[in-house]
Amino acid sequence: MTTTLLDQIQSADGPEILDPATGEFIARAPQTSAADLDDAVACAVRAQVSWAATPDPERQSALHAAADAVEAHAEELAQLLSREQGKPLNGPNARFEVGACVAWLRTAASIPVEPEVLLDDESGHAELHYRPLGVVGAIGPWNWPMMISVWQIAPSLRMGNTVVIKPSEYTPLSVLALVKVLNSALPADVLIAVPGDGSLGKQLTEHADIAKIMFTGSVTTGKAIIKTAADTMKRMTMELGGNDAGIVLDDADPAAIAEDLFWGAFINTGQTCAALKRLYVPDSIYEEVCQALTEVAAKMPMGIGLEEQNVLGPLQNAKQRDIVARLVDAAKDSGARVLIGADPDDDAAGFFYPATLVADIDPQNPLVTEEQFGPALPIIRYTDLDQAIEWANGLEVGLGSSVWSSDVARATEVAARLQAGTTWINKHGAIDPRVPFGGAKQSGFGLEFGLQGLKEVAQPHVIQR
Ligand code: NAD
């Protein structure tokens, strides 16, 4: 009899994990006690000494071998991810996420990291080296549990650190299965998973032997972690929430951009940090953009993730479904016009909420100014581009943003005026493992991906003579 990954990671007790599409029981997740967390960190501290001494080419090979292992288990990982997180197998969802894990592992393994000569003249010579930090504590969310874990794990390991990772309590099985597969190719104890809730995460952020916290999650939790981690002067990367604006310019072609606009907003059923969460459209093409988006939304099947035809799934949990419902209901009550959706089936077993487009909404409505993190997009009408830019920049967060136009030069000028970590032109949320990604304002600090991302999990060390 073959043992599945789920057989290997589930526990006899611990919290029940239910399928968000059906309510069916999947498995019980193991829980790490406070004492076990201390043991895990101690193991990672010991393993880090030899891992840091391992030549870089060997660390690179180990990461490629880990990527091979993920490829070998890709379908099993995607199925478990779909059942636990809810995202469909197809579309930019579960199979895509597992593929992204492979791509990010291989890219983190491949980018050259060389010492930089800063100064070399008659006054002297200075070089900047990048040393390992020690043990990285990684804490993640439930929306892209496998991919975001790899964003934290791969660069940390490449740079000679070991990792203790605490998955979200909503999606522990996905991360435990991924870690199991990665560890089949990695030396013992360089990567240790510690499933548990926020209190275990807090313990990790307090731990004296953790050198750096890589955190992806909400702004509120990020602020709590910054305070806790101050006592031990931990390094931090904070990838926090956003409320990304997209601005359509009046020369855009509504039919040509509609599908990309849709997926910019509804990727992973809207549960994406850098998804398009508010769309500003000029009066002159407002109705055409609304019409084109509605036509795209109407043809996207939503349902149980394991059913191959679906490309939209449920919300991962009841709390998030209720946030979306509350914001859409308030928008409707305010007189905004629902183009499609907003009428959930209360008898459905899972946490489904239909893909929803809301037009003629006040720019200060909570569906616009709060992060909905689900399948509901407000479309705000504007007549003055400067006003639209001011609205786009008017929030405390600034993760991504986008400008949509037939004129790339004009779009680039508008992009330069937006306050965000990334501004995409004629697309939204298109991340790439070679291109740094991070937030502006309260969306966080520090960069992930690319050479910059590798440097963020290293201690800069100047040697000067
Ligand atoms: P969350 O902040 O509720 O939880 C994230 C993680 O933090 C979980 O593992 C949780 O157990 C842990 N945690 C909770 N309290 C803690 C504490 N006091 N100390 C340490 N850890 C603690 O976020 P979520 O609901 O899982 O994720 C959704 C949010 O994450 C959204 O706001 C979204 O925009 C954001 N997000 C950002 C990015 C990005 O790259 N910027 C990516 C994905 C999600």
Side-chain angles (χ1 to χ4, degrees):
M1 199 179 80
T2 47
T3 328
T4 64
L5 284 168
L6 188 56
D7 292 337
Q8 295 172 54
I9 59 171
Q10 67 184 317
S11 84
D13 43 29
E16 290 189 339
I17 302 295
L18 307 181
D19 182 332
T22 61
E24 283 166 17
F25 173 76
I26 303 174
R28 288 182 184 275
Q31 290 284 285
T32 305
S33 67
D36 289 347
L37 177 73
D38 285 339
D39 289 347
V41 175
C43 287
V45 167
R46 281 193 295 276
Q48 198 268 331
V49 177
S50 51
W51 181 243
T54 302
D56 189 38
E58 282 180 39
R59 293 203 298 258
Q60 293 176 280
S61 300
L63 287 175
H64 280 298
D68 294 342
V70 173
E71 278 181 329
H73 289 87
E75 186 58 21
E76 190 180 0
L77 288 170
Q79 300 246 352
L80 178 58
L81 175 61
S82 179
R83 288 175 68 197
E84 185 185 47
Q85 204 284 334
K87 63 182 70 193
L89 289 170
N90 291 318
N93 293 300
R95 288 180 178 132
F96 168 85
E97 178 165 351
V98 175
C101 291
V102 174
W104 260 264
L105 279 161
R106 294 206 190 285
T107 306
S110 307
I111 294 173
V113 187
E114 303 292 345
E116 293 158 34
V117 176
L118 308 169
L119 175 73
D120 188 29
D121 60 21
E122 60 287 348
S123 68
H125 180 91
E127 287 179 358
L128 183 55
H129 294 253
Y130 293 93
R131 312 290 188 207
L133 283 164
V135 182
V136 171
I139 302 175
W142 47 259
N143 58 341
W144 293 90
M146 290 187 183
M147 182 175 76
I148 289 174
S149 296
V150 166
W151 294 357
Q152 299 171 330
I153 293 165
S156 299
L157 292 181
R158 168 69 196 285
M159 298 306 282
N161 310 288
T162 52
V163 178
V164 175
I165 186 163
K166 193 210 79 66
S168 166
E169 55 273 41
Y170 289 104
T171 51
L173 302 173
S174 300
V175 176
L176 289 169
L178 173 75
V179 167
K180 187 97 202 158
V181 170
L182 295 173
N183 274 336
S184 68
L186 295 170
D189 292 340
V190 303
L191 171 62
I192 302 174
V194 287
D197 62 13
S199 60
L200 196 77
K202 183 163 185 286
Q203 194 192 335
L204 194 61
T205 64
E206 286 166 344
H207 204 293
D209 290 336
I210 296 290
K212 166 152 187 156
I213 293 291
M214 293 192 78
F215 176 71
T216 299
S218 64
V219 176
T220 306
T221 307
K223 288 179 182 175
I225 291 176
I226 292 168
K227 287 181 189 150
T228 311
D231 283 341
T232 44
M233 201 62 81
K234 286 184 178 32
R235 277 60 186 151
M236 281 180 259
T237 296
M238 287 282 151
E239 293 289 0
L240 308 179
N243 192 344
D244 290 11
I247 301 183
V248 177
L249 303 187
D250 55 12
D251 58 16
D253 175 351
I257 62 174
E259 188 138 348
D260 288 335
L261 277 175
F262 178 83
W263 281 117
F266 290 87
I267 181 169
N268 200 25
T269 314
Q271 303 160 103
T272 299
C273 51
L276 174 54
K277 293 179 180 143
R278 46 197 174 113
L279 183 64
Y280 297 90
V281 179
D283 199 32
S284 56
I285 54 170
Y286 190 82
E287 293 305 333
E288 287 153 88
V289 171
C290 286
Q291 175 68 27
L293 261 174
T294 307
E295 284 168 15
V296 175
K299 67 179 189 202
M300 295 297 175
M302 175 182 281
I304 294 170
L306 292 182
E307 294 174 0
E308 297 278 347
Q309 77 278 7
N310 293 323
V311 292
L312 298 170
L315 278 301
Q316 202 282 327
N317 52 73
K319 190 173 148 206
Q320 197 61 46
R321 194 259 326 266
D322 294 348
I323 290 172
V324 175
R326 170 178 63 79
L327 289 170
V328 173
D329 286 349
K332 274 198 304 193
D333 291 347
S334 77
R337 175 165 58 111
V338 173
L339 300 172
I340 189 168
D343 191 15
D345 174 2
D346 293 333
D347 298 330
F351 305 129
F352 288 98
Y353 196 91
T356 298
L357 296 167
V358 180
D360 293 329
I361 183 167
D362 186 275
Q364 303 309 327
N365 187 282
L367 180 60
V368 180
T369 58
E370 292 178 25
E371 186 188 33
Q372 69 276 51
F373 213 62
L377 179 68
I379 308 171
I380 306 103
R381 190 190 293 265
Y382 77 84
T383 47
D384 173 17
L385 179 58
D386 289 340
Q387 171 73 84
I389 293 170
E390 197 182 312
W391 284 333
N393 289 336
L395 301 182
E396 287 176 335
V397 286
L399 190 56
S401 58
S402 57
V403 184
W404 303 74
S405 168
S406 303
D407 180 344
V408 171
R410 190 171 164 231
T412 307
E413 279 174 27
V414 175
R417 296 172 62 192
L418 294 179
Q419 297 165 358
T422 304
T423 301
W424 289 277
I425 292 173
N426 292 330
K427 54 188 178 181
H428 197 113
I431 50 171
D432 184 302
R434 298 162 299 182
V435 180
F437 173 74
K441 303 199 273 187
Q442 293 196 17
S443 290
F445 49 82
L447 288 169
E448 295 186 286
F449 320 161
L451 178 59
Q452 288 86 343
L454 294 174
K455 290 179 178 177
E456 297 260 346
V457 277
Q459 173 61 51
H461 184 191
V462 172
I463 297 191
Q464 193 163 5
R465 57 177 191 264

